[in-house]
Amino acid sequence: MNDIQLNTEIDLLITNGDFAVGETTNQDIFLLLSCDKGSIRQHPTIGVGISNMLGDNDINAWKSSIREECNKMGLLIEKLNISNNGQIELQANYK
């Protein structure tokens, strides 16, 4: 999906004095995983809050949450793995 891009500090990316627009699927996935529900004013019911996974051993519950939230965003998951050390591998694209 093409949208306004963010830089590595999660701020608007400016190119040649204007907002940068381009492919944002990975950016959208990052934000979806990072944000808690209620963090995004326009979409208060969306967010995984992955930082809350720290110390939680219920990997299946986290997978379920990620699938549910991706579905809300219109993302089709191609691959989802969470290792025992908490590393997430997620490949998804918009439907």
Side-chain angles (χ1 to χ4, degrees):
M1 169 180 271
N2 282 341
D3 203 347
I4 296 172
Q5 295 178 317
L6 302 177
N7 62 23
T8 55
E9 288 84 33
I10 323 252
D11 200 359
L12 293 173
L13 180 62
I14 305 295
T15 305
N16 297 324
D18 204 355
F19 299 131
V21 176
E23 172 58 40
T24 59
T25 302
N26 288 336
Q27 172 182 294
D28 296 345
I29 291 169
F30 171 78
L31 293 172
L32 177 70
L33 293 176
S34 300
C35 292
D36 290 311
K37 284 181 176 37
S39 296
I40 304 171
R41 181 182 292 181
Q42 297 85 350
H43 304 284
T45 62
I46 290 178
V48 174
I50 209 68
S51 63
N52 299 318
M53 186 174 140
L54 209 63
D56 188 342
N57 295 323
D58 194 352
I59 291 174
N60 288 329
W62 283 104
K63 282 184 175 181
S64 177
S65 178
I66 291 169
R67 283 188 188 100
E68 180 181 330
E69 297 304 309
C70 282
N71 189 48
K72 286 181 189 177
M73 290 281 294
L75 289 162
L76 179 64
I77 294 176
E78 296 169 10
K79 186 175 189 177
L80 173 58
N81 290 314
I82 302 177
S83 67
N84 289 334
N85 67 358
Q87 186 169 348
I88 299 170
E89 181 182 10
L90 174 59
Q91 294 175 0
N93 286 299
Y94 283 98
K95 298 177 188 178

